[in-house]
């Protein structure tokens, strides 16, 4: 099977490409710069996306490309990829985010209506709308913070804070359901091979605060958990986003063979 991984130079995209290749699939990956041997692609350029997909003729397209500060990449780019995949009659798996939820104590189900409160979340919500309209057979996977090794933005940031390479703090009252990159990548490929269509939450079963995540990262690397700088959202002068966003991944857990490990287990500190 030929698999096109859009955003293969990123942490998640790289894991999707690695697992697909290990399974014997022919993998074509893209990056914005063409580094790491991947094809260069600007997904904000609709003609470029259409041309590449038409030339590659993949059976599956996994869109793992994103940049939190770019509406063009997150929203317009997602629409361009969906259009190209639909024209090529490729199976599309689109990676979305819990950032499109506004936050509440109760978990969000798979079909919960987006309530974004900042631009990145709004871009991801717009992307979902575009993809669903263009390709009703696509899988739209809502996920949470992606962890794993030091390729993870979350892991690197925590390590930088602990070691003093950067300034800031992790919020004690911001809750998410982190997921291991390899677990998520395996789930995306499993969904691609299934007949599932529409929205589905794929996140870890363990809800933790960002501060707790930082302490787990510290333990993973043999550092002092007490060295993690911590504050509340109210104590910060940053635009923090939603406080509590828990994704209910019960549907995915019942559908997939891929186990979705808790963050402590994924980091090897369970």
């Amino acid at each position: 099977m030929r698999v096109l991984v859009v955003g293969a130079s990123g942490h998640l995209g790289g894991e999707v490409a690695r697992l697909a290749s290990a399974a014997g699939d022919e993998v074509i990956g893209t990056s914005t710069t063409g580094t790491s041997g991947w094809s260069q692609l600007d997904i904000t350029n609709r003609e470029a996306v259409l041309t590449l997909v038409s030339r590659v003729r993949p059976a599956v397209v996994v869109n793992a490309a994103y940049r939190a500060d770019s509406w063009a990449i997150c929203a317009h780019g997602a629409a361009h990829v969906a259009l190209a995949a639909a024209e090529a009659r490729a199976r599309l798996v689109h990676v979305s985010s819990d950032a499109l939820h506004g936050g509440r104590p109760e978990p969000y189900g798979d079909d919960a209506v987006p309530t974004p409160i900042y631009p990145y979340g709004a871009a991801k919500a717009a992307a979902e709308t575009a993809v669903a309209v263009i390709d009703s057979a696509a899988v739209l996977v809502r996920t949470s913070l992606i962890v794993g090794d030091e390729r993870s933005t979350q892991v690197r940031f925590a390590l930088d804070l602990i070691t003093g390479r950067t300034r800031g703090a992790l919020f004690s009252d911001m809750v998410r359901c982190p997921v291991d990159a390899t677990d998520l990548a395996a789930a995306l490929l499993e969904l691609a091979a299934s007949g599932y269509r529409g929205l589905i939450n794929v996140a870890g079963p363990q809800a933790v605060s960002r501060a707790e995540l930082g302490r787990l990262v510290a333990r993973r690397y043999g550092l002092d958990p007490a060295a993690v700088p911590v504050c509340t959202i109210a104590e910060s002068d940053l635009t923090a986003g939603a406080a509590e966003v828990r994704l209910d991944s019960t549907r995915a857990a019942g559908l997939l063979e891929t186990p979705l490990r808790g963050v402590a287990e994924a980091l090897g500190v369970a």
Side-chain angles (χ1 to χ4, degrees):
M1 184 170 66
R2 182 173 295 168
V3 179
L4 174 62
V5 182
V6 181
S9 60
H11 185 197
L12 175 60
E15 280 300 285
V16 173
R18 183 182 68 82
L19 293 182
S21 180
D25 295 326
E26 179 185 359
V27 177
I28 296 92
T30 76
S31 71
T32 56
T33 60
T35 56
S36 303
W38 301 124
S39 299
Q40 185 172 4
L41 178 66
D42 176 6
I43 66 169
T44 67
N45 183 326
R46 182 175 63 177
E47 290 306 316
V49 177
L50 290 169
T51 298
L52 177 68
V53 176
S54 177
R55 174 172 58 82
V56 171
R57 304 300 298 180
V60 170
V61 177
V62 177
N63 183 12
Y66 90 102
R67 202 176 78 196
D69 62 350
S70 175
W71 183 282
I73 290 175
C74 292
H76 298 163
H80 298 160
V81 172
L83 282 168
E87 285 199 7
R89 297 189 177 183
R91 172 73 161 154
L92 175 61
V93 180
H94 170 79
V95 181
S96 189
S97 169
D98 62 3
L100 50 68
H101 293 309
R104 67 186 187 191
E106 300 79 21
Y108 288 93
D110 305 84
D111 305 309
V113 175
T115 53
I117 59 173
Y118 66 114
Y120 175 56
K124 297 302 280 188
E128 284 191 356
T129 299
V131 172
V133 169
I134 293 165
D135 186 356
S136 61
V139 187
L140 295 90
V141 178
R142 290 175 176 171
T143 193
S144 191
L145 305 180
I146 298 173
V147 299
D149 55 31
E150 291 181 57
R151 290 173 295 169
S152 162
T153 301
Q154 310 304 323
V155 170
R156 288 199 312 274
F157 184 57
L159 289 173
D160 286 346
L161 287 172
I162 295 166
T163 57
R165 289 193 293 264
T166 191
R167 298 182 64 183
L170 296 174
F171 297 125
S172 59
D173 53 350
M174 179 176 281
V175 176
R176 298 292 187 270
C177 296
V179 63
D180 179 72
T182 303
D183 294 350
L184 178 56
L188 296 178
L189 291 170
E190 190 176 340
L191 285 165
S194 75
Y196 191 90
R197 59 174 63 194
L199 292 165
I200 187 167
N201 292 336
V202 182
Q206 182 183 3
V208 298
S209 71
R210 284 187 178 265
E212 290 171 312
L213 175 57
R215 295 185 186 107
L216 289 171
V217 170
R219 289 173 56 195
R220 164 67 177 81
Y221 287 91
L223 301 171
D224 182 5
V228 177
V230 172
C231 72
T232 65
I233 295 172
E235 290 168 341
S236 170
D237 58 358
L238 300 175
T239 302
E244 297 182 67
V245 180
R246 297 173 173 85
L247 294 183
D248 181 349
S249 298
T250 303
R251 183 185 297 176
L255 177 68
L256 300 172
E257 294 183 6
T258 301
L260 299 173
R261 294 173 293 168
V263 61
E265 183 182 356
L267 289 172
V269 294

